[in-house]
């Protein structure tokens, strides 16, 4: 049906007025002025008094006052309808966007679970400046711990070292031999006997599985995360106890008491986390870093050496192990190993790059 006045296409067969111009559509059996259904054989509309006609009202025909008021009310109808349609379309678009985001997040979570991880395993680390190294009066410090200011960007770090449970999935997927656990147990214990190259292979594999850039932390990122805003020898303060980390408890540091010397690794969540939610930053296993060892701290501590197989320079390991005395667990304590070296005191921890945005 088409409006005779403005030629607007009318889709509703029951419509009494044109939504475009407000013109009466003069349906049979209805008043052409006010749209009221007429009594059979009526000559006048008992609502507005208009004579009954089968032709639509013309512009030069005198329109009853009541119907003029009705036309003024109908005229804005088009704008109201358009506004309502726009509102509902926007709501539908928002709903679809939310549903798509939920589906993407579910797919992401499924990829992580397949790799033995979940989103809650990651801790967001805000970027910032800090003083790297140790003061001259810190007990058991070495000359290679020169204090200097360093800036690191945002990143996310696994709250624990990589476990056997995580690494074994990788080994099974790529069909390589699982590393030895020294009969201490696997599961939630940190993976050991891992070379730098094996740690890099795991990062590359996990990056492909999850679509995120997974890597080893630089030495600067590692110490920044370990300190968690503190400037003492340990994040625990000036001393550390065997109840706070896994190390050789036969030795003390700055008045701490003696305790258990476990002689092996422990589960990665057995000891309290630091103020940023990271476990085992002190003790349990030494952790590979992505940086080449630099005795003088001339900038390599902030760089990622990557996965160049022909670069055999020593890489940094941090954190100390179950075998070390407490002085070797200090936040500033440094060690170095050849990248093809693996041992029962060596594991690793991973970080995930965060997209840098304006917000």
């Amino acid at each position: 049906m088409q409006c005779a006045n403005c030629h607007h296409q009318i889709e509703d067969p029951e419509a009494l007025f044109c939504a475009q111009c407000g013109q009466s559509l003069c349906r049979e059996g209805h008043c052409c002025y006010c749209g009221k259904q007429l009594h059979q054989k009526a000559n006048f509309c008992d609502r507005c008094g208009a004579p009954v006609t089968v032709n639509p009202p013309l512009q030069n025909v005198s329109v009853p006052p009541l119907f003029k008021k009705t036309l003024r009310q109908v005229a804005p109808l088009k704008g109201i309808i358009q506004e309502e349609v726009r509102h509902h379309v926007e709501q539908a678009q928002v709903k679809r966007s939310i549903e798509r985001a939920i589906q993407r997040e579910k797919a992401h979570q499924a990829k992580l679970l397949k790799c033995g991880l979940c989103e809650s395993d990651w801790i967001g680390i805000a970027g910032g400046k800090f003083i790297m190294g140790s003061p001259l009066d810190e007990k058991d410090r070495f000359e290679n711990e020169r204090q200097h200011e360093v800036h690191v960007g945002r990143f996310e770090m696994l709250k624990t070292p990589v476990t056997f449970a995580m690494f074994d999935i990788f080994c099974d997927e790529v069909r390589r031999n699982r590393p030895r656990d020294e009969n201490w147990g696997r599961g939630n214990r940190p993976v050991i006997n891992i070379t730098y190259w094996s740690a890099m292979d795991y990062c590359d594999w996990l990056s492909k599985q999850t679509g995120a850039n997974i890597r080893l932390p630089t030495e600067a990122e590692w110490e920044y995360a370990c300190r968690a805003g503190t400037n003492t020898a340990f994040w625990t303060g000036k001393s550390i106890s065997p109840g706070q980390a896994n190390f050789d408890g036969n030795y003390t540091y700055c008045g701490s008491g003696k305790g258990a010397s476990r002689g092996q690794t422990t589960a990665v969540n057995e000891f309290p986390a630091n103020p940023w939610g990271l476990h085992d930053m002190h003790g349990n296993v030494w952790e590979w870093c992505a940086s080449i060892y630099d005795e003088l701290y001339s900038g390599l501590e902030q760089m990622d050496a990557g996965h160049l197989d022909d670069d055999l320079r020593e890489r940094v390991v941090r954190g100390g192990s179950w075998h070390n005395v407490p002085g070797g667990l200090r936040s500033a304590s440094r060690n170095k190993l050849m990248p093809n070296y693996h041992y029962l005191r060596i594991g690793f921890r991973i970080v995930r790059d965060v997209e840098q945005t304006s917000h």
Side-chain angles (χ1 to χ4, degrees):
M1 181 167 58
Q2 193 175 56
C3 176
N5 183 51
C6 69
H7 306 294
H8 176 66
Q9 190 66 34
I10 310 297
E11 296 182 0
D12 183 3
E14 301 295 323
L16 297 176
F17 299 94
C18 175
Q20 181 79 20
C21 65
Q23 180 72 25
S24 171
L25 300 179
C26 200
R27 290 176 53 225
E28 185 178 355
H30 291 261
C31 176
C32 291
Y33 291 96
C34 71
K36 184 181 184 303
Q37 186 172 4
L38 300 171
H39 294 292
Q40 192 175 10
K41 298 181 180 181
N43 294 319
F44 294 90
C45 174
D46 60 3
R47 172 187 287 168
C48 66
V52 174
T53 176
V54 295
N55 299 316
L58 302 176
Q59 297 298 323
N60 58 356
V61 175
S62 177
V63 179
L66 180 60
F67 189 61
K68 287 182 179 180
K69 181 179 179 181
T70 304
L71 285 177
R72 287 195 298 270
Q73 294 172 343
V74 171
L77 185 60
K78 177 184 176 183
I80 296 173
I81 292 174
Q82 289 177 337
E83 180 63 23
E84 283 296 311
V85 170
R86 184 188 63 80
H87 176 67
H88 287 296
V89 168
E90 288 179 352
Q91 284 188 322
Q93 289 174 338
V94 170
K95 183 178 179 180
R96 286 195 296 270
S97 296
I98 293 173
E99 289 174 348
R100 286 195 293 267
I102 292 173
Q103 291 303 317
R104 286 195 299 268
E105 181 61 23
K106 286 182 177 179
H108 173 67
Q109 293 282 7
K111 289 178 181 178
L112 284 175
L113 288 173
K114 185 179 178 182
C115 300
L117 292 161
C118 60
E119 194 60 35
S120 61
D121 292 330
W122 299 95
I123 297 293
I125 308 295
K129 294 180 180 179
F130 79 110
I131 302 300
M132 189 173 185
S134 61
L136 296 177
D137 60 350
E138 187 168 290
K139 183 184 176 185
D140 293 343
R141 83 178 295 272
F142 291 91
E143 292 298 319
N144 64 358
E145 299 172 14
R146 177 180 66 86
Q147 282 195 314
H148 59 296
E149 186 178 78
V150 173
H151 178 270
V152 297
R154 291 191 304 138
F155 60 96
E156 294 175 328
M157 178 174 270
L158 200 67
K159 65 171 60 172
T160 70
V162 173
T163 64
F164 270 108
M166 300 172 194
F167 198 81
D168 285 347
I169 293 174
F170 158 68
C171 291
D172 294 344
E173 284 286 324
V174 301
R175 298 182 180 179
R176 70 163 63 187
N177 292 331
R178 294 180 174 186
R180 301 190 313 276
D181 63 11
E182 306 299 329
N183 294 321
W184 297 340
R186 304 180 80 83
N188 207 27
R189 289 176 184 255
V191 65
I192 54 176
N193 293 311
I194 295 297
T195 67
Y196 172 85
W197 305 124
S198 294
M200 292 296 292
D201 288 342
Y202 177 81
C203 290
D204 291 344
W205 172 81
L206 191 58
S207 295
K208 293 176 182 176
Q209 296 298 310
T210 63
N213 188 35
I214 310 295
R215 56 181 176 82
L216 295 177
T218 65
E219 185 180 13
E221 287 173 333
W222 193 98
E223 185 171 327
Y224 179 69
C226 177
R227 288 188 177 280
T230 65
N231 57 11
T232 48
F234 312 92
W235 69 257
T236 56
K238 294 182 178 180
S239 64
I240 194 167
S241 72
Q244 295 171 315
N246 182 12
F247 62 93
D248 189 342
N250 293 312
Y251 296 85
T252 63
Y253 188 94
C254 289
S256 63
K258 293 185 178 181
S261 180
R262 299 168 180 86
Q264 59 180 258
T265 60
T266 51
V268 295
N269 56 359
E270 184 167 325
F271 297 97
N274 75 2
W276 289 354
L278 302 167
H279 294 267
D280 282 356
M281 296 301 286
H282 298 309
N284 215 4
V285 291
W286 289 98
E287 298 178 8
W288 286 110
C289 292
S291 301
I292 292 169
Y293 179 78
D294 178 6
E295 185 80 14
L296 301 177
Y297 271 151
S298 59
L300 291 178
E301 71 275 14
Q302 300 179 60
M303 300 175 63
D304 185 337
H307 200 163
L308 299 175
D309 294 344
D310 57 349
D311 188 345
L312 300 180
R313 286 177 290 178
E314 293 167 314
R315 303 308 198 269
V316 175
V317 290
R318 285 298 203 112
S321 76
W322 54 267
H323 179 75
N324 290 96
V325 299
L329 276 60
R330 293 175 300 110
S331 297
S333 180
R334 310 175 69 200
N335 206 340
K336 58 183 179 179
L337 289 173
M338 297 296 291
N340 56 357
Y341 184 82
H342 62 85
Y343 196 46
L344 48 78
R345 302 172 194 165
I346 310 298
F348 70 105
R349 188 186 303 255
I350 55 178
V351 300
R352 183 170 66 178
D353 281 335
V354 178
E355 292 184 10
Q356 302 295 323
T357 61
S358 58
H359 61 275

Coordinates of all heavy atoms in Angstrom, one line a residue, residues 111-155:
K111 N 42.6 -22.4 25.2 CA 43.9 -22.6 24.8 C 44.9 -22.7 25.9 O 45.8 -23.5 25.9 CB 44.3 -21.5 23.8 CG 43.6 -21.4 22.5 CD 44.0 -20.2 21.7 CE 43.3 -20.2 20.3 NZ 43.7 -19.0 19.5
L112 N 44.7 -21.8 26.9 CA 45.6 -21.9 28.1 C 45.4 -23.2 28.8 O 46.4 -23.8 29.3 CB 45.3 -20.7 29.0 CG 45.8 -19.3 28.6 CD1 45.3 -18.3 29.6 CD2 47.3 -19.3 28.5
L113 N 44.2 -23.6 29.1 CA 44.0 -24.9 29.8 C 44.6 -26.1 29.1 O 45.1 -27.0 29.8 CB 42.5 -25.1 30.0 CG 41.8 -24.2 31.0 CD1 40.2 -24.4 30.9 CD2 42.3 -24.4 32.4
K114 N 44.6 -26.0 27.8 CA 45.2 -27.1 27.0 C 46.7 -27.2 27.3 O 47.3 -28.3 27.2 CB 44.9 -26.9 25.5 CG 45.5 -28.0 24.6 CD 45.1 -27.7 23.2 CE 45.7 -28.8 22.3 NZ 45.5 -28.6 20.8
C115 N 47.3 -26.0 27.7 CA 48.7 -26.0 28.0 C 49.0 -26.1 29.4 O 50.2 -25.9 29.9 CB 49.3 -24.7 27.4 SG 49.1 -24.5 25.6
G116 N 48.0 -26.4 30.2 CA 48.2 -26.5 31.7 C 48.2 -25.2 32.4 O 48.7 -25.2 33.6
L117 N 47.7 -24.2 31.8 CA 47.7 -22.8 32.4 C 46.3 -22.3 32.5 O 45.4 -22.8 31.9 CB 48.5 -21.9 31.6 CG 50.0 -22.1 31.6 CD1 50.7 -21.4 30.4 CD2 50.7 -21.7 32.9
C118 N 46.1 -21.2 33.3 CA 44.8 -20.5 33.3 C 45.2 -19.0 33.5 O 46.3 -18.7 33.8 CB 43.9 -21.0 34.4 SG 44.5 -20.8 36.0
E119 N 44.2 -18.1 33.2 CA 44.5 -16.7 33.2 C 45.0 -16.2 34.6 O 45.8 -15.3 34.7 CB 43.3 -15.9 32.7 CG 43.6 -14.5 32.3 CD 44.6 -14.3 31.2 OE1 44.6 -15.2 30.3 OE2 45.4 -13.4 31.3
S120 N 44.4 -16.8 35.6 CA 44.8 -16.4 37.0 C 46.2 -16.8 37.3 O 46.7 -16.3 38.4 CB 43.8 -17.0 38.0 OG 43.9 -18.5 37.9
D121 N 46.9 -17.5 36.5 CA 48.3 -17.8 36.8 C 49.3 -16.7 36.5 O 50.5 -16.7 36.8 CB 48.8 -19.0 35.9 CG 48.1 -20.3 36.3 OD1 47.8 -20.5 37.5 OD2 47.9 -21.2 35.5
W122 N 48.7 -15.6 35.8 CA 49.6 -14.5 35.4 C 49.4 -13.3 36.3 O 48.3 -13.1 36.8 CB 49.2 -14.1 34.0 CG 49.5 -15.1 32.9 CD1 48.6 -16.0 32.4 CD2 50.7 -15.4 32.3 NE1 49.1 -16.8 31.5 CE2 50.5 -16.5 31.4 CE3 52.0 -14.9 32.3 CZ2 51.5 -17.0 30.6 CZ3 53.0 -15.4 31.5 CH2 52.7 -16.4 30.7
I123 N 50.4 -12.6 36.6 CA 50.4 -11.4 37.4 C 50.8 -10.2 36.6 O 51.9 -10.2 35.9 CB 51.4 -11.5 38.6 CG1 50.9 -12.7 39.6 CG2 51.4 -10.2 39.4 CD1 49.6 -12.5 40.2
G124 N 50.0 -9.2 36.6 CA 50.3 -8.0 35.8 C 51.3 -7.1 36.6 O 51.1 -6.8 37.8
I125 N 52.4 -6.8 35.9 CA 53.5 -6.0 36.5 C 53.5 -4.6 35.9 O 53.7 -4.5 34.7 CB 54.9 -6.6 36.4 CG1 54.8 -8.1 36.9 CG2 55.9 -5.8 37.1 CD1 54.6 -8.2 38.3
A126 N 53.2 -3.6 36.6 CA 53.2 -2.2 36.1 C 54.6 -1.8 35.8 O 55.5 -2.1 36.6 CB 52.5 -1.3 37.0
G127 N 54.9 -1.1 34.8 CA 56.2 -0.6 34.5 C 56.6 0.5 35.5 O 55.8 1.1 36.2
G128 N 57.9 0.8 35.5 CA 58.4 1.8 36.4 C 59.9 1.9 36.5 O 60.6 1.1 35.9
K129 N 60.4 2.8 37.4 CA 61.9 2.9 37.6 C 62.2 2.3 39.0 O 61.4 2.3 39.9 CB 62.3 4.3 37.6 CG 62.2 5.0 36.2 CD 62.6 6.4 36.3 CE 62.5 7.1 34.9 NZ 62.9 8.6 35.0
F130 N 63.4 1.7 39.1 CA 63.9 1.2 40.4 C 65.4 1.2 40.4 O 66.0 1.3 39.3 CB 63.3 -0.2 40.6 CG 64.0 -1.3 39.9 CD1 64.8 -2.2 40.6 CD2 63.9 -1.5 38.5 CE1 65.5 -3.3 40.0 CE2 64.6 -2.5 37.9 CZ 65.3 -3.4 38.6
I131 N 65.9 1.1 41.6 CA 67.4 1.0 41.7 C 67.8 -0.5 41.7 O 67.5 -1.2 42.6 CB 67.9 1.7 43.0 CG1 67.4 3.1 43.0 CG2 69.4 1.5 43.1 CD1 68.0 3.9 41.9
M132 N 68.5 -0.9 40.6 CA 68.9 -2.3 40.5 C 70.3 -2.4 41.1 O 71.1 -1.5 41.0 CB 69.0 -2.6 39.0 CG 69.2 -4.0 38.7 SD 69.1 -4.3 36.8 CE 69.2 -6.1 36.8
G133 N 70.5 -3.6 41.7 CA 71.8 -3.8 42.4 C 71.7 -3.7 43.9 O 70.6 -3.5 44.4
S134 N 72.8 -3.7 44.6 CA 72.8 -3.7 46.0 C 73.7 -2.6 46.6 O 74.7 -2.2 46.0 CB 73.3 -5.1 46.6 OG 74.6 -5.3 46.2
P135 N 73.3 -2.0 47.8 CA 74.1 -1.0 48.4 C 75.4 -1.6 48.9 O 75.5 -2.8 49.1 CB 73.3 -0.5 49.5 CG 72.3 -1.6 49.8 CD 72.1 -2.3 48.5
L136 N 76.4 -0.8 49.1 CA 77.8 -1.2 49.4 C 77.8 -2.0 50.8 O 78.7 -2.8 51.0 CB 78.7 -0.1 49.5 CG 79.0 0.7 48.1 CD1 79.9 1.9 48.3 CD2 79.6 -0.3 47.1
D137 N 76.8 -1.6 51.6 CA 76.9 -2.3 53.0 C 76.0 -3.5 53.1 O 75.8 -4.0 54.2 CB 76.4 -1.2 54.0 CG 75.0 -0.7 53.8 OD1 74.4 -1.0 52.7 OD2 74.5 0.0 54.7
E138 N 75.4 -4.0 52.0 CA 74.6 -5.2 52.0 C 75.5 -6.4 52.2 O 76.4 -6.7 51.5 CB 73.8 -5.3 50.8 CG 72.7 -6.5 50.9 CD 71.7 -6.4 49.7 OE1 70.9 -5.5 49.8 OE2 71.8 -7.3 48.8
K139 N 75.1 -7.2 53.2 CA 75.9 -8.4 53.5 C 76.0 -9.4 52.3 O 75.0 -9.6 51.7 CB 75.3 -9.1 54.7 CG 76.1 -10.4 55.2 CD 75.4 -11.1 56.4 CE 76.1 -12.3 56.7 NZ 75.4 -13.1 57.8
D140 N 77.1 -10.0 52.1 CA 77.4 -11.0 51.1 C 77.2 -10.4 49.6 O 77.1 -11.2 48.7 CB 76.4 -12.2 51.2 CG 76.7 -13.0 52.5 OD1 77.8 -12.8 53.1 OD2 75.8 -13.7 52.9
R141 N 77.2 -9.1 49.4 CA 77.2 -8.6 48.1 C 78.5 -8.8 47.3 O 79.5 -9.0 48.0 CB 76.8 -7.1 48.1 CG 78.0 -6.2 48.4 CD 77.6 -4.7 48.3 NE 77.1 -4.3 47.0 CZ 77.9 -3.8 46.1 NH1 79.2 -3.8 46.2 NH2 77.4 -3.4 44.9
F142 N 78.4 -8.8 46.0 CA 79.6 -8.9 45.1 C 79.7 -7.6 44.3 O 78.8 -6.8 44.2 CB 79.4 -10.1 44.2 CG 79.5 -11.4 44.9 CD1 78.3 -12.0 45.4 CD2 80.7 -12.0 45.1 CE1 78.4 -13.2 46.1 CE2 80.8 -13.3 45.8 CZ 79.6 -13.9 46.3
E143 N 80.9 -7.5 43.7 CA 81.2 -6.3 43.0 C 80.4 -6.1 41.7 O 80.2 -5.1 41.2 CB 82.7 -6.3 42.6 CG 83.7 -6.1 43.7 CD 83.4 -4.7 44.4 OE1 83.2 -3.7 43.7 OE2 83.5 -4.7 45.7
N144 N 79.8 -7.2 41.3 CA 79.0 -7.2 40.0 C 77.5 -6.7 40.3 O 76.7 -6.8 39.4 CB 79.0 -8.6 39.3 CG 78.3 -9.6 40.2 OD1 77.8 -9.4 41.3 ND2 78.2 -10.8 39.6
E145 N 77.3 -6.2 41.5 CA 75.9 -5.8 41.8 C 75.8 -4.2 41.9 O 75.1 -3.7 42.7 CB 75.5 -6.4 43.2 CG 75.4 -7.9 43.2 CD 75.2 -8.5 44.5 OE1 74.8 -7.8 45.5 OE2 75.4 -9.7 44.7
R146 N 76.5 -3.5 41.0 CA 76.6 -2.1 41.0 C 75.1 -1.5 41.0 O 74.3 -1.9 40.1 CB 77.4 -1.6 39.8 CG 77.4 -0.1 39.7 CD 78.2 0.4 38.5 NE 77.6 -0.1 37.2 CZ 76.7 0.6 36.6 NH1 76.2 1.8 37.1 NH2 76.2 0.2 35.4
Q147 N 74.9 -0.6 41.9 CA 73.5 0.1 41.9 C 73.4 1.1 40.7 O 74.3 1.8 40.5 CB 73.3 0.8 43.2 CG 72.9 -0.2 44.3 CD 72.3 0.5 45.5 OE1 72.8 1.6 46.0 NE2 71.2 0.0 46.0
H148 N 72.3 1.0 40.0 CA 72.0 2.0 39.0 C 70.5 2.0 38.7 O 69.8 1.0 39.0 CB 72.7 1.6 37.7 CG 72.4 0.2 37.2 ND1 72.7 -0.9 37.8 CD2 71.8 -0.2 36.0 CE1 72.3 -2.0 37.1 NE2 71.7 -1.5 36.0
E149 N 70.0 3.1 38.2 CA 68.6 3.2 38.0 C 68.2 2.6 36.6 O 68.9 2.8 35.6 CB 68.2 4.7 38.0 CG 66.6 4.9 37.9 CD 66.2 6.4 37.9 OE1 66.4 7.1 36.9 OE2 65.8 6.8 39.0
V150 N 67.1 1.9 36.6 CA 66.6 1.2 35.4 C 65.1 1.4 35.3 O 64.4 1.5 36.3 CB 66.9 -0.4 35.5 CG1 66.3 -1.1 34.4 CG2 68.4 -0.6 35.6
H151 N 64.7 1.5 34.1 CA 63.3 1.6 33.8 C 62.8 0.4 33.0 O 63.5 0.0 32.1 CB 63.0 2.9 32.9 CG 61.5 3.0 32.6 ND1 61.0 2.4 31.4 CD2 60.5 3.6 33.2 CE1 59.7 2.7 31.4 NE2 59.3 3.4 32.4
V152 N 61.7 -0.2 33.4 CA 61.1 -1.3 32.7 C 59.7 -1.0 32.4 O 59.0 -0.2 33.1 CB 61.2 -2.6 33.6 CG1 62.6 -3.0 33.9 CG2 60.4 -2.5 34.9
G153 N 59.2 -1.6 31.2 CA 57.9 -1.4 30.8 C 56.9 -2.4 31.5 O 57.3 -3.2 32.2
R154 N 55.6 -2.3 31.1 CA 54.6 -3.2 31.6 C 54.8 -4.6 31.0 O 55.2 -4.8 29.9 CB 53.2 -2.8 31.3 CG 52.8 -1.5 32.0 CD 51.3 -1.3 31.8 NE 50.9 -1.2 30.4 CZ 49.9 -1.8 29.9 NH1 49.1 -2.5 30.6 NH2 49.6 -1.7 28.6
F155 N 54.6 -5.6 31.8 CA 54.6 -7.0 31.4 C 53.8 -7.8 32.3 O 53.4 -7.4 33.4 CB 56.0 -7.5 31.2 CG 56.8 -7.6 32.5 CD1 56.9 -8.7 33.3 CD2 57.5 -6.4 32.9 CE1 57.6 -8.7 34.5 CE2 58.2 -6.4 34.1 CZ 58.3 -7.6 34.8

